[in-house]
């Protein structure tokens, strides 16, 4: 199975699992962050062993949909994707966009 498809399958399972738990939005962020952290670790291991890698677009998307806390921890802990400037710029943009949407939803939600 392609590693990219596995990542998206796990993301779908995360969405289904968080919908069934109490406080689905909080659980989504917790589970998506944990999954993103694991994927960063797997991608770092794949980079070291010259295996098939997770595409950068997938890593960025996982951060955008709520996994950015796990991505930040994974980047620092695994020293992965910390020096690649185009990726870092897009990642920080996705984090700011995610935080802005969360703040707007919290502010304007009835």
């Amino acid at each position: 199975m392609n590693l990219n498809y596995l990542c998206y399958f796990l993301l779908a399972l995360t969405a289904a699992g968080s919908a069934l738990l109490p406080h689905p939005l909080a659980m989504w962020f917790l589970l998506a962050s944990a999954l993103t952290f694991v994927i960063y670790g797997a991608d770092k291991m794949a980079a070291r062993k010259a295996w098939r890698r997770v595409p950068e677009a997938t890593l960025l998307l996982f951060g955008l949909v709520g996994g950015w806390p796990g991505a930040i921890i994974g980047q620092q802990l695994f020293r992965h994707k910390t020096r690649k400037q185009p990726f870092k710029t897009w990642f920080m943009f996705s984090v700011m966009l995610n935080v802005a949407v969360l703040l707007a939803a919290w502010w304007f939600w009835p």
Side-chain angles (χ1 to χ4, degrees):
M1 177 183 268
N2 188 345
L3 185 59
N4 199 31
Y5 291 134
L6 178 63
C7 291
Y8 286 113
F9 176 71
L10 291 173
L11 187 65
L13 285 178
T14 300
S18 65
L20 298 174
L21 295 170
H23 310 290
L25 185 62
M27 292 310 295
W28 165 255
F29 276 96
L30 181 68
L31 293 174
S33 291
L35 177 61
T36 305
F37 174 79
V38 169
I39 289 173
Y40 268 79
D43 191 47
K44 179 64 175 192
M45 184 176 68
R48 286 187 173 167
K49 297 190 180 243
W51 294 346
R52 186 176 295 256
R53 304 276 307 277
V54 176
E56 286 185 353
T58 299
L59 295 174
L60 288 171
L61 181 69
F62 273 58
L64 181 64
V65 299
W68 59 269
I72 291 173
I73 294 168
Q75 286 174 0
Q76 297 307 309
L77 185 66
F78 302 122
R79 305 305 291 159
H80 190 52
K81 300 290 185 188
T82 56
R83 295 188 307 187
K84 195 165 185 182
Q85 191 53 43
F87 178 86
K88 203 170 170 184
T89 301
W90 282 109
F91 177 73
M92 291 312 293
F93 176 73
S94 71
V95 169
M96 290 186 292
L97 180 64
N98 194 288
V99 170
V101 167
L102 281 174
L103 288 174
W106 180 71
W107 186 267
F108 292 112
W109 199 265

